[in-house]
Amino acid sequence: MLRVAVVGSGPSGVYTAQALVQQSAVPDVHVHVLDRLPCPYGLVRYGVAPDHEKIKSLQNNLRTVLEHERIDFVGNVEAGAGGLGPERLLELYHAVVYCVGAARDRRLGVPGEDLPGSHSATDFVSWYSAHPDAAGGAFGLDVRSAVVIGVGNVAVDVARILAREAGELQGTDMPHPALDALAGSRVREVHMVGRRGPSQAKFTTKELRELGALPSAAVAVDPAELALDPAYADPSGEACAALPAVNRRNLGVVRGWAQAQAARREETARDRRIRLRFFLRPVELLEGDGRVRAVRFERTEPDGAGGVRGTGVYEEIEAQLVLRAVGYRGTPLPGLPFDERRGTVPHTAGRVLRDGTPSPGEYVAGWIKRGPTGVIGTNRPCAKETAASLLADAPELARRAVADDPLARLRSWGCCPVLWPGWLAIESAEAALGAALGRHIVKIPDWPGLLQAATAR
């Protein structure tokens, strides 16, 4: 028997486990999928917006994998903490695959970034997704104007949630305190701002179109800013033709909004606005009454080499709430090598490199392997590559002596694993809470009592 630990139960971890057990070259592979939380699915549970029910339904596919007879979910076990570092894990398993994602936000690096009212978009997403690490409070939703800095899918998600009526979210699994806070929100202007043009924005077309389909908000664009983008200004020119198809589709969506705006068709009864702004680089968050009151931006312009340069022209956008969505970065795991510049673990085809040499039994997959790029499906080929490397090494790995009962050893080290029945108990409690509140299912952000019961299962 080849015992493998996969650290992380998000898509990259589950796809890795699936690739290891659904093959015939190396028989009798058994996988423990470890997670520091007692709930599986990673960012599918805690990162996908609650109103993206089709994407969230991917949990059903991940569940099927985790219920495989040679895969065990082992929650509430944090690798790297409490002395459970790489050396100890290798006492329990022939191989360990780290699929720990990229949990840290990139910072703006501008004055005023830490003012009250300024938050990372990840913190906001964690709050409305009921992540146990989420900060309390309601993110200052008793304000009129919010600025979302960034033009990727995370920025689109948080802008959309801010612009929705709470009633539109009633049928989701959003935690009830967040739903109540959004019901009392006074936010009426949401500015989503990028330092480059619409042709270089990172959102996908489906997510972008969703902004224009909101029943409670209208989208506004600035034609003068759009015209600064060569690909937008000349849709039949070389600059547009050279773009990936998704970027060309995005330009089509933005062009449609601009045309509708010119025809004044955007003037509706909707009392909220999402304003897409481009070619603006944040340079400072400005203070008023002890909190952020506005963001100062420098106007940028294309530099002719695919980037932008500052123009020395500045503009302030009023905002009492600022959400920074400018990307993720990997976090070092104690005991593993880490490339600070790339924010990843050094590797070759998934094999962890220590001092340039593959380290026996240590592997990576997902964002900690390749950086925070791609969509959920990108994790599948990434996981398969790592699994192939591990399986090729299997004859050598199987010679290592490991513990007969990893779970017993984990408990002897002070861990309190939550196994699959324990997770099902938490899931059942969330369904019961939803029924009591007249909703389908409601995620519970804090379950110390549930956790105690779950560890006993």
Side-chain angles (χ1 to χ4, degrees):
M1 178 189 300
L2 187 72
R3 294 191 181 276
V4 179
V6 171
V7 180
S9 66
S12 63
V14 174
Y15 292 153
T16 300
Q18 183 180 39
L20 289 171
V21 299
Q22 292 186 351
Q23 50 80 38
S24 57
V26 180
D28 206 20
V29 178
H30 287 245
V31 181
H32 281 181
V33 178
L34 311 183
D35 202 292
R36 74 180 185 90
L37 299 179
C39 305
Y41 312 136
L43 283 181
V44 176
R45 175 176 166 89
Y46 290 117
V48 173
D51 57 344
H52 274 174
E53 295 181 6
K54 184 174 181 180
I55 301 175
K56 290 181 76 67
S57 69
L58 177 62
Q59 292 183 22
N60 297 328
N61 301 88
L62 303 182
R63 175 191 292 268
T64 299
V65 176
L66 291 174
E67 290 177 337
H68 189 281
E69 62 182 358
R70 286 188 281 120
I71 296 176
D72 291 304
F73 172 71
V74 184
N76 201 41
V77 172
E78 184 173 3
L84 193 60
E87 289 186 5
R88 273 208 155 173
L89 285 175
L90 286 175
E91 292 179 29
L92 308 182
Y93 302 98
H94 295 105
V96 182
V97 187
Y98 295 92
C99 307
V100 292
R104 190 168 65 193
D105 285 275
R106 293 186 182 275
R107 292 180 58 84
L108 298 174
V110 302
E113 186 171 6
D114 295 318
L115 282 170
S118 170
H119 307 272
S120 76
T122 299
D123 287 345
F124 187 65
V125 170
S126 294
W127 171 70
Y128 69 58
S129 298
H131 194 290
D133 295 344
F139 283 82
L141 300 182
D142 58 339
V143 301
R144 191 186 68 82
S145 179
V147 163
V148 180
I149 300 175
V151 282
N153 281 345
V154 174
V156 171
D157 280 349
V158 299
R160 189 181 66 256
I161 293 295
L162 283 171
R164 276 202 184 279
E165 294 281 0
E168 300 168 29
L169 298 165
Q170 183 74 19
T172 72
D173 65 357
M174 179 179 284
H176 216 63
L179 190 66
D180 286 344
L182 288 166
S185 171
R186 295 173 52 205
V187 175
R188 293 298 178 266
E189 297 272 353
V190 180
H191 305 263
M192 192 167 70
V193 188
R195 64 186 178 90
R196 297 201 269 191
S199 69
Q200 296 174 306
K202 299 297 185 182
F203 31 62
T204 51
T205 309
K206 178 181 180 295
E207 279 66 30
L208 182 63
R209 284 180 177 141
E210 287 179 347
L211 294 181
L214 294 177
S216 53
V219 177
V221 293
D222 186 336
E225 291 176 350
L226 301 179
L228 292 172
D229 192 319
Y232 182 91
D234 185 8
S236 61
E238 292 183 4
C240 188
L243 292 174
V246 63
N247 298 73
R248 294 197 300 273
R249 290 194 297 269
N250 290 344
L251 287 181
V253 173
V254 174
R255 191 181 306 280
W257 287 336
Q259 291 169 349
Q261 187 170 287
R264 297 185 179 276
R265 290 201 299 271
E266 92 293 354
E267 296 298 333
T268 69
R270 305 172 199 170
D271 65 345
R272 304 185 188 199
R273 289 288 181 274
I274 299 175
R275 301 190 181 277
L276 268 65
R277 304 294 308 274
F278 297 99
F279 293 110
L280 291 172
R281 176 168 57 202
V283 294
E284 185 177 6
L285 275 62
L286 305 175
E287 182 179 359
D289 297 325
R291 61 175 294 118
V292 63
R293 66 166 178 83
V295 184
R296 190 172 191 236
F297 292 92
E298 181 183 16
R299 169 68 62 195
T300 62
E301 63 182 9
D303 62 6
V308 293
R309 59 184 168 230
T311 64
V313 177
Y314 297 89
E315 174 183 343
E316 291 182 15
I317 297 179
E318 174 196 349
Q320 303 83 38
L321 173 65
V322 176
L323 298 173
R324 312 180 303 270
V326 292
Y328 295 99
R329 180 176 173 79
T331 303
L333 190 72
L336 275 186
F338 190 73
D339 184 331
E340 284 287 351
R341 185 175 66 86
R342 296 178 180 272
T344 59
V345 171
H347 72 94
T348 296
R351 295 180 176 93
V352 171
L353 298 178
R354 292 184 181 272
D355 299 322
T357 301
S359 177
E362 296 185 308
Y363 303 84
V364 285
W367 279 2
I368 201 64
K369 170 186 174 184
R370 68 180 190 276
T373 60
V375 294
I376 290 175
T378 311
N379 289 295
R380 193 178 290 277
C382 173
K384 286 183 176 179
E385 179 189 57
T386 295
S389 294
L390 190 158
L391 293 168
D393 300 340
E396 186 65 29
L397 298 173
R399 296 190 183 99
R400 293 185 50 252
V402 296
D404 291 333
D405 188 344
L407 291 178
R409 186 72 64 86
L410 285 170
R411 291 188 178 100
S412 74
W413 291 341
C415 297
C416 298
V418 171
L419 305 183
W420 193 250
W423 150 241
L424 294 180
I426 293 173
E427 188 178 50
S428 177
E430 292 181 337
L433 176 62
L437 294 171
R439 299 172 60 192
H440 173 55
I441 186 168
V442 175
K443 280 195 290 194
I444 301 173
D446 184 18
W447 14 246
L450 283 175
L451 184 58
Q452 184 177 2
T455 55
R457 293 173 181 256

